[in-house]
Amino acid sequence: MEKINHENEVKNNHKIEQNENIQFISERNTNNILNIQTNQNSLNNNNIENISYSFDHTKYKKTRLLGINFYHIGNLYVFGFLNNNSDPLFCIDRQWYFHLIIYSIEFLIFYFGNKYLYSNLESYKQIIFNLLLIIFFFIYTALVTINPGIVIKNQKINKQSMEFIYCRKCKMYSLAERNTQHCYDCEVCVKKLDHHCSVVRRCITNKNFWLFVGMIVGFILIYIYSLINLVIYLLGSYKKLKNKKY
């Protein structure tokens, strides 16, 4: 009996030692994991702190026109900085003369519509036509000038994000945001890019999506409204000619 009891005590002691060793190993692993997470967080924080939050004007070519500094980024000119810590408010395409064609077409529609069509119709129809053109003008101007979300070097970044991405085309690091892509037409990275519209030569993002929709709706309304009034005018002219004959 004494021999059996002695063996049981030895087994129990051995189990206790094993449990203590397992607990020690698990505690050590937990501490290691915590240390790794702490090091990763500190590394990410150091990366964020090392990134300048101000726009470095020396990294880009500059063109000064009418007292405004235009900076060359990709195929765009950016301007309208509130301060060194802000993103540019506006940007225009380097082929800015393309938009002059659109404005010229709108002016021709305004001129000939008022002179030959709406001057022969009720005055309220002419007022509605002019209001639609004015609204379309402002929506289109805002769409092609407001910054859609260009990622610039040393821009102000979101501290809550810890994921960095590298763009080989732009040759720079930036914080990863959802749907941030490189636009090969504008030659810049754009936040939350939906698509690049070749008609207006602008990247469409969540910032200017509703302007894009408004431009399309405005164009359709002007087209349909003018077409209906043109038909009304032609029918009225036909009836007048028919009455003169008889």
Side-chain angles (χ1 to χ4, degrees):
M1 289 293 293
E2 292 180 358
K3 190 174 182 179
I4 293 171
N5 291 332
H6 179 71
E7 289 178 356
N8 290 333
E9 288 179 2
V10 171
K11 288 181 180 179
N12 290 332
N13 292 331
H14 184 66
K15 287 182 180 179
I16 292 171
E17 288 178 359
Q18 283 183 339
N19 291 332
E20 288 178 351
N21 291 332
I22 291 170
Q23 185 177 1
F24 173 75
I25 292 170
S26 62
E27 288 178 355
R28 185 175 62 183
N29 290 336
T30 303
N31 291 330
N32 288 336
I33 292 171
L34 291 174
N35 289 332
I36 291 170
Q37 290 177 346
T38 304
N39 291 333
Q40 286 179 343
N41 291 332
S42 63
L43 177 63
N44 289 329
N45 289 331
N46 289 333
N47 287 337
I48 290 176
E49 290 174 358
N50 289 333
I51 294 178
S52 173
Y53 293 165
S54 61
F55 177 75
D56 190 354
H57 300 78
T58 61
K59 290 184 179 291
Y60 303 99
K61 294 180 181 179
K62 180 176 70 173
T63 300
R64 189 169 181 83
L65 181 65
L66 300 175
I68 302 174
N69 292 326
F70 295 86
Y71 295 92
H72 304 209
I73 299 181
N75 292 330
L76 302 172
Y77 296 112
V78 301
F79 61 100
F81 294 89
L82 295 178
N83 51 61
N84 288 336
N85 294 330
S86 70
D87 289 339
L89 297 177
F90 307 104
C91 68
I92 57 174
D93 188 53
R94 288 197 181 185
Q95 286 78 33
W96 52 269
Y97 46 82
F98 168 82
H99 302 295
L100 295 181
I101 299 174
I102 304 297
Y103 289 129
S104 300
I105 294 172
E106 186 179 5
F107 174 77
L108 291 175
I109 294 172
F110 171 81
Y111 177 77
F112 289 105
N114 281 288
K115 185 175 182 179
Y116 296 105
L117 178 60
Y118 289 98
S119 59
N120 298 311
L121 298 174
E122 293 87 344
S123 59
Y124 76 90
K125 292 183 178 179
Q126 186 175 11
I127 293 172
I128 293 174
F129 173 73
N130 291 330
L131 282 175
L132 288 174
L133 281 177
I134 292 171
I135 292 171
F136 178 84
F137 170 82
F138 281 108
I139 290 176
Y140 181 82
T141 302
L143 177 63
V144 300
T145 55
I146 291 177
N147 178 13
I150 299 169
V151 179
I152 59 175
K153 295 179 182 178
N154 295 342
Q155 65 169 356
K156 189 174 182 180
I157 57 179
N158 184 4
K159 293 182 180 180
Q160 295 178 352
S161 178
M162 293 293 181
E163 297 180 4
F164 289 89
I165 58 174
Y166 180 76
C167 179
R168 294 181 179 178
K169 295 291 291 183
C170 296
K171 295 181 180 179
M172 69 175 182
Y173 285 95
S174 63
L175 283 174
E177 292 192 23
R178 187 179 180 184
N179 294 334
T180 299
Q181 301 177 37
H182 183 85
C183 176
Y184 289 90
D185 294 285
C186 297
E187 287 296 334
V188 293
C189 288
V190 183
K191 301 173 187 175
K192 298 183 179 179
L193 176 65
D194 184 77
H195 70 281
H196 180 90
C197 180
S198 300
V199 177
V200 296
R201 306 179 68 85
R202 177 63 71 234
C203 292
I204 307 302
T205 66
N206 65 327
K207 287 183 68 175
N208 60 5
F209 177 77
W210 291 110
L211 289 173
F212 179 69
V213 173
M215 183 203 69
I216 295 174
V217 172
F219 176 79
I220 293 173
L221 286 176
I222 292 171
Y223 177 78
I224 294 175
Y225 183 76
S226 299
L227 184 62
I228 292 172
N229 286 305
L230 179 61
V231 171
I232 293 171
Y233 172 73
L234 292 175
L235 289 174
S237 301
Y238 175 75
K239 287 179 179 180
K240 288 180 181 179
L241 290 172
K242 192 174 181 180
N243 291 331
K244 284 183 180 180
K245 288 181 180 180
Y246 297 101

